[in-house]
Each structure stands twice: as structure tokens, then as C-alpha cells.
């Protein structure tokens, strides 16, 4: 999957920062550094990656653009999944 653009609406950006303490810059860094991407049941994707800390990002994808739904620090099982797929 090729991601060239990342869109984060202002209200989503504020919510993610206030609730999960994740910045837009961290989200972009993870998505542009070859994260583990998994398709979910809905037409959404889950990306797990590392940029100073492990982050999980939920997004919709169309035309090489990731439209961010939410992002948060990864749980233990998500970190373990990421590490097992990257080794």
C-alpha cells in the first residue's frame, strides 16, 4: 500500500491529541515509515508502527491518501504482532 498523503480533520486531530496524546506529526511519521497495515472488517485499515513509541492508527484509504479516523498508543498485543511480522 502506497500512502502519499495524510488527511486529519481538525476535530479529529484535537481529539487524538487530547484523549491519546498523539500528534499529527507522529501519525505522519509512522505512516511514511512502512508500518504493518491490516485491513479491518469495515473499509478501514489498521496501521501499527514505531516513531519514538509504538502507535496504532485507524484510517480509510483511497487514491494513495490516508484519511485518519483515530490513533493511539499501541497495546501489548499490537506491539507483539508488529514485532512478529517485522522479524
Amino acid at each position: 500500500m502506497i500512502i502519499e498523503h495524510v488527511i486529519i480533520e481538525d476535530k479529529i486531530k484535537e481529539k487524538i491529541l487530547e484523549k491519546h496524546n498523539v500528534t499529527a506529526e507522529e501519525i505522519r511519521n509512522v505512516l511514511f515509515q512502512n508500518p504493518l497495515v491490516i485491513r479491518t472488517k469495515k473499509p478501514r485499515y489498521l496501521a501499527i508502527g514505531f516513531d519514538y513509541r509504538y502507535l496504532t492508527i485507524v484510517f480509510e484509504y483511497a487514491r494513495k491518501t490516508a484519511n485518519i479516523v483515530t490513533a493511539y498508543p499501541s497495546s501489548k498485543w499490537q506491539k507483539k504482532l508488529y514485532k512478529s511480522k517485522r522479524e
Side-chain angles (χ1 to χ4, degrees):
M1 172 179 292
I2 298 170
I3 297 174
E4 293 180 357
H5 306 285
V6 176
I7 297 173
I8 311 171
E9 293 180 18
D10 288 338
K11 69 178 187 174
I12 300 292
K13 194 183 303 185
E14 291 173 17
K15 182 199 106 180
I16 293 170
L17 183 60
E18 289 176 16
K19 189 172 181 181
H20 303 293
N21 197 30
V22 175
T23 66
E25 182 180 350
E26 286 179 297
I27 293 169
R28 286 185 181 90
N29 288 346
V30 166
L31 289 177
F32 292 139
Q33 291 178 8
N34 193 27
L36 172 63
V37 178
I38 304 164
R39 187 179 176 107
T40 65
K41 290 183 182 180
K42 294 183 179 183
R44 292 183 175 170
Y45 294 86
L46 183 85
I48 304 170
F50 185 80
D51 181 54
Y52 301 107
R53 61 182 173 159
Y54 288 95
L55 294 178
T56 299
I57 302 163
V58 178
F59 64 96
E60 295 174 349
Y61 180 78
R63 298 184 183 107
K64 299 182 183 180
T65 300
N67 189 4
I68 305 304
V69 175
T70 192
Y72 51 89
S74 299
S75 65
K76 288 182 182 181
W77 75 266
Q78 290 166 334
K79 292 177 195 176
K80 186 176 179 179
L81 177 64
Y82 175 83
K83 290 174 184 177
S84 71
K85 297 289 183 179
R86 291 296 171 209
E87 291 179 352

